[in-house]
């Protein structure tokens, strides 16, 4: 595996080790007006989401298949919810 990629994975593992998971799905989060409207439009037309780089997967209200290289992020998500399927890609 590429050294820069390995360093990136380790950085995210460290970030997730230091974070406290919070379920953000019930909060009215705003990012940017056009981005929020685009997400709303897409969300109305589907119930399934494929999320690359999902981290802890803590903001989706849909059925999600999340993929992330951070083992720690995936472990945090698995502790939080059993309703979301998250996988770590094989190295």
């Amino acid at each position: 595996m590429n050294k820069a990629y390995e360093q990136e994975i380790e950085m995210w593992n460290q970030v997730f080790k230091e974070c406290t998971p919070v379920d953000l799905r019930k909060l009215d989060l705003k990012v940017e007006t056009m981005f929020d409207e685009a997400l709303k439009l897409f969300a109305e037309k589907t119930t399934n989401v494929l999320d690359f780089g999902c981290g802890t997967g803590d903001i989706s209200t849909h059925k999600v298949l999340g993929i992330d290289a951070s083992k720690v992020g995936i472990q945090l998500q698995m502790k939080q919810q059993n309703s979301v399927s998250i996988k770590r890609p094989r190295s």
Side-chain angles (χ1 to χ4, degrees), residues 68-79:
D68 201 291
S70 171
K71 185 176 184 177
V72 177
I74 300 299
Q75 290 169 342
L76 282 172
Q77 191 286 323
M78 298 298 267
K79 288 179 187 176

Side-chain angles (χ1 to χ4, degrees), residues 1-52:
M1 194 179 324
N2 177 315
K3 185 172 181 151
Y5 184 72
E6 289 176 8
Q7 290 173 331
E8 187 79 14
I9 292 170
E10 186 50 41
M11 186 231 16
W12 281 109
N13 281 334
Q14 189 61 39
V15 167
F16 291 129
K17 283 178 187 175
E18 296 172 7
C19 81
T20 302
V22 176
D23 187 350
L24 303 174
R25 294 174 296 167
K26 295 180 182 170
L27 299 178
D28 187 24
L29 300 174
K30 302 287 182 202
V31 175
E32 193 278 322
T33 305
M34 289 188 70
F35 181 76
D36 292 334
E37 288 300 315
L39 285 178
K40 183 178 175 183
L41 176 67
F42 288 118
E44 291 172 351
K45 298 182 183 223
T46 188
T47 56
N48 300 308
V49 174
L50 176 58
D51 184 358
F52 286 97

